[in-house]
Amino acid sequence: MSLHATIDRVTDRIRERSAKTRAAYLAKIARAAEDGPRRAHLSCGNQAHAYAAMPDKEDMARTRKPNIGIVTAYNDMLSAHQPYERFPDIIRRAGHAAGATVQVAGGVPAMCDGVTQGRAGMELSLFSRDVIALAAGVGLSHDCFDAALYLGVCDKIVPGLVIAAATFGHVPAVFIPAGPMPSGLPNDEKSRVRQQFATGEVGRDALMAAEMASYHSPGTCTFYGTANSNQMLMEFMGLHLPGSSFVNPNTPLREALTVAGVQRAAAITRLGNDFLPAGEVLDERAFVNGIVGLMATGGSTNLVLHLPAMARAAGVLIDIEDFHDISESVPLMARVYPNGLADVNHFHAAGGLGYMIGQLLEAGLLHPDVKTINGTGLDGYTAEPKLDGDRIRWEAGASETLNDKILRPATDPFAQTGGLKQLQGNLGRGVIKVSAVAPERHVIEAKARVFSDQEQVKAAFKAGEFTEDTIVVVRFQGPRANGMPELHSLTPTLAVLQDRGLKVALLTDGRMSGASGKVPAAIHVSPEASVGGPLARVRDGDVIRLDAVTGRIDCLAADFDDRQPAAFDPSTSSEGMGREMFAAFRAVAGPATEGAAVVV
């Protein structure tokens, strides 16, 4: 199948836009790789320090075995990352069996947005991505590694690790997932109890019971939010092994896939015959394939922030118009919560990513000729891993969906488009995800209520102040104001208003979680209010039109352009919970349209 015209056109546009930066990037990683294995250039003293704690240090000093560095996001507070506790030992054994040596190069922080939602700590969340990239860079700076294994799953962790992998693009990179927890309380039931709690119908005991039944074991949360969107992305971009994203933790198949990942890392070093620097995998075609996967699965809007930042680290420049145009041409093939009732385990059982990649390749919607850690070509990602004793063999994956309520072919999708829209108008540029929003709510024209933080919205709700159709404007939530926290804790409140029959929407320069869905939300609006962006000129009572059909966000007040912007008060978000330490990040963060990044 020839490549779809829109995919071809968008890829060419990205390639042209990135010509200078990509060329400079490739020249940089070529210079870093030209001297061969990096350890050969360390002095004897440097090497002795590096090998002192290794049981096979004498072997390290005498041989040319590949040395694999692990960058791990392990901690035992995050359910998704707790399984990584066992991985270094598994990886060491597998590495030694493959003729390699292994060291943990360093750890990176991994915070849980589920714990920090609605709390001050959430204002550190987005910038943790940049800290993760920096921390990974520190670990890799020892210049001892012939390949790197990246252990990370959740929201900011994978993007931060990809930024590091791209920055050290001369080093081969393999990403190793931990997998989702088994299915627990259905996500729609959890959401229903949250709304009942918001209205006072049930108490905290019922809410706690529902939450504990939903988040109940090691592994990624089972809804299709940012964490699981990340895992999809790594497979579509060729940084995971095929079929590895959604295998549950602590199972024989999960362990065998980890071993296979180590074997592959050893094979693609400069010391083998398949040298594959990470920077060669991370080209414009890989990022386009990732965006296609995001649209076909109805993935998290957070990736609209993360992908441009990740791409910049590899010299590739992505704009939100690229997301919009790809979304218009890619069918929505999956219904996974919050876009449906299924969770990621059900999606995987229905045929999962292998089936979807096969369908999209047949439709000409993916670049087939990309470099991946599995070898050249994306067609290998239609295969499914199976256990053969304690080893992996890949066999043909599902050629038909096994549940068409969850996963459909590209020729008969749930929707003809991916559901992500670019918005622009006199309020700036932003995005909206409409894949879970009822069509009758795609256009809302209503009076604005303006707030400076989400707690003010909740207080107004409790006071019964929302009695008519309303566009809730929450401003001063951008990266340079307070670090751009997610506003996911507003979802139950806004959903209750919507269920009462009101037309309601959110308009913000902040973020919504990848777990948000049915309430229209115009997010990532840029320029942000704290630097004088248009949201700073909105007043209570202004009529705002949010039109996801035509892609417009406009304030209809006649004097709007002539108003003085409201001033941002930084005192509410500059102290406590470590926010003091991130003042330097807030001062230099880029705009949301470019990934809201600090380090790229």
Side-chain angles (χ1 to χ4, degrees):
M1 182 72 179
S2 60
L3 194 64
H4 189 284
T6 298
I7 303 302
D8 196 22
R9 174 174 56 83
V10 171
T11 306
D12 280 345
R13 183 170 69 202
I14 295 171
R15 189 178 290 119
E16 181 177 349
R17 186 191 299 138
S18 310
K20 290 183 179 179
T21 51
R22 181 66 178 171
Y25 171 79
L26 291 174
K28 178 188 77 170
I29 66 170
R31 288 192 299 272
E34 66 187 4
D35 292 334
R38 308 298 295 175
R39 286 179 293 120
H41 302 283
L42 297 179
S43 72
C44 293
N46 295 149
Q47 292 192 54
H49 277 289
Y51 311 150
M54 297 180 71
D56 45 3
K57 55 181 173 289
E58 299 296 333
D59 199 27
M60 282 287 291
R62 289 195 303 266
T63 68
R64 284 172 53 84
K65 290 181 178 181
N67 189 34
I68 299 171
I70 302 171
V71 178
T72 177
Y74 162 72
N75 66 49
D76 63 6
M77 194 195 79
L78 273 70
S79 62
H81 292 82
Q82 186 273 342
Y84 284 136
E85 182 174 18
R86 298 175 54 243
F87 277 41
D89 285 340
I90 296 170
I91 292 167
R92 287 188 190 98
R93 290 195 299 270
H96 293 164
T101 54
V102 177
Q103 294 176 292
V104 175
V108 302
M111 67 179 291
C112 181
D113 290 358
V115 176
T116 58
Q117 286 289 351
R119 309 290 298 169
M122 174 52 77
E123 296 181 14
L124 277 59
S125 173
L126 179 59
F127 291 145
S128 75
R129 176 190 66 191
D130 297 73
V131 174
I132 288 159
L134 291 168
V138 170
L140 295 172
S141 69
H142 296 100
D143 212 13
C144 294
F145 306 108
D146 301 295
L149 294 176
Y150 294 91
L151 312 185
V153 175
C154 286
D155 298 19
K156 263 58 67 195
I157 295 95
V158 167
L161 293 175
V162 171
I163 290 171
T167 304
F168 287 77
H170 60 288
V171 179
V174 174
F175 279 64
I176 298 192
M181 67 178 68
S183 302
L185 182 76
N187 287 291
D188 60 321
E189 175 64 15
K190 173 194 68 182
S191 179
R192 184 183 68 82
V193 175
R194 285 179 176 177
Q195 288 184 222
Q196 288 179 321
F197 179 75
T199 59
E201 296 175 58
V202 301
R204 186 167 293 276
D205 287 348
L207 178 65
M208 193 67 194
E211 299 286 0
M212 293 292 284
S214 181
Y215 308 115
H216 61 93
S217 76
T220 315
C221 308
T222 61
F223 57 81
Y224 195 55
T226 310
N228 286 317
S229 296
N230 283 339
Q231 302 313 293
M232 171 281 301
L233 197 71
M234 293 300 92
E235 201 152 328
F236 267 78
M237 292 178 63
L239 290 169
H240 276 178
L241 287 176
S244 63
S245 295
F246 299 131
V247 174
N248 300 128
N250 303 318
T251 60
L253 181 57
R254 173 83 279 154
E255 183 164 330
L257 282 164
T258 300
V259 170
V262 179
Q263 294 167 342
R264 192 61 193 150
I268 60 176
T269 71
R270 189 65 173 263
L271 296 169
N273 296 320
D274 294 324
F275 181 48
L276 183 62
E280 293 184 11
V281 176
L282 293 167
D283 68 4
E284 65 283 345
R285 296 169 301 167
F287 285 104
V288 167
N289 283 351
I291 297 172
V292 170
L294 188 69
M295 301 309 159
T297 57
S300 168
T301 54
N302 277 326
L303 271 301
V304 182
L305 276 178
H306 297 321
L307 273 161
M310 294 153 64
R312 279 178 174 270
V316 177
L317 305 181
I318 295 175
D319 188 83
I320 57 174
E321 68 172 342
D322 303 322
F323 290 89
H324 175 90
D325 289 353
I326 291 173
S327 179
E328 289 296 292
S329 298
V330 173
L332 179 66
M333 297 169 58
R335 286 287 191 201
V336 187
Y337 189 86
N339 301 326
L341 298 182
D343 67 23
V344 293
N345 294 306
H346 305 139
F347 167 77
H348 186 64
L353 296 179
Y355 171 78
M356 181 173 278
I357 288 171
Q359 286 287 304
L360 291 167
L361 284 169
E362 285 185 22
L365 289 165
L366 288 170
H367 289 280
D369 54 341
V370 290
K371 292 184 177 181
T372 75
I373 64 163
N374 195 49
T376 299
L378 200 61
D379 59 340
Y381 284 76
T382 64
E384 183 177 1
K386 297 285 188 179
L387 272 179
D388 184 0
D390 59 354
R391 299 177 66 85
I392 292 287
R393 73 172 191 277
W394 273 269
E395 58 184 46
S399 59
E400 296 183 359
T401 176
L402 302 179
N403 188 331
D404 64 5
K405 293 181 175 62
I406 299 170
L407 185 59
R408 287 188 181 175
T411 53
D412 183 27
F414 292 102
Q416 294 299 322
T417 68
L420 189 88
K421 301 276 189 174
Q422 177 182 217
L423 298 171
Q424 45 194 338
N426 68 2
L427 289 169
R429 295 178 78 200
V431 295
I432 185 171
K433 178 182 173 184
V434 295
S435 52
V437 176
E440 63 270 19
R441 299 185 183 277
H442 288 189
V443 179
I444 295 183
E445 186 174 307
K447 290 180 181 178
R449 280 292 308 274
V450 183
F451 303 91
S452 296
D453 63 57
Q454 54 190 318
E455 293 307 314
Q456 294 175 355
V457 181
K458 296 175 186 176
F461 171 78
K462 289 178 180 177
E465 295 178 13
F466 295 107
T467 58
E468 60 182 343
D469 295 349
T470 306
I471 292 187
V472 176
V473 178
V474 187
R475 63 191 181 194
F476 303 126
Q477 303 299 303
R480 298 193 69 166
N482 63 353
M484 206 176 186
E486 287 183 350
L487 305 179
H488 179 53
S489 66
L490 290 180
T491 300
T493 298
L494 298 176
V496 167
L497 294 176
Q498 186 169 274
D499 289 348
R500 288 174 178 171
L502 298 180
K503 281 196 169 185
V504 61
L506 176 69
L507 174 63
T508 182
D509 48 8
R511 296 184 292 135
M512 278 299 267
S513 168
S516 304
K518 68 179 184 178
V519 177
I523 58 177
H524 307 176
V525 174
S526 183
E528 63 176 281
S530 68
V531 296
L535 288 186
R537 299 200 300 272
V538 178
R539 297 173 183 168
D540 282 342
D542 285 347
V543 175
I544 291 176
R545 182 175 176 83
L546 191 168
D547 189 335
V549 178
T550 62
R552 299 288 304 181
I553 41 170
D554 294 289
C555 179
L556 305 184
D559 65 339
F560 182 70
D561 291 337
D562 299 325
R563 294 176 182 173
Q564 284 294 113
F568 169 57
D569 177 9
S571 65
T572 59
S573 57
S574 60
E575 294 181 353
M577 206 54 61
R579 288 178 289 182
E580 302 91 336
M581 295 187 291
F582 284 77
F585 283 59
R586 293 191 294 272
V588 299
T593 50
E594 296 178 6
V598 173
V599 298
V600 291

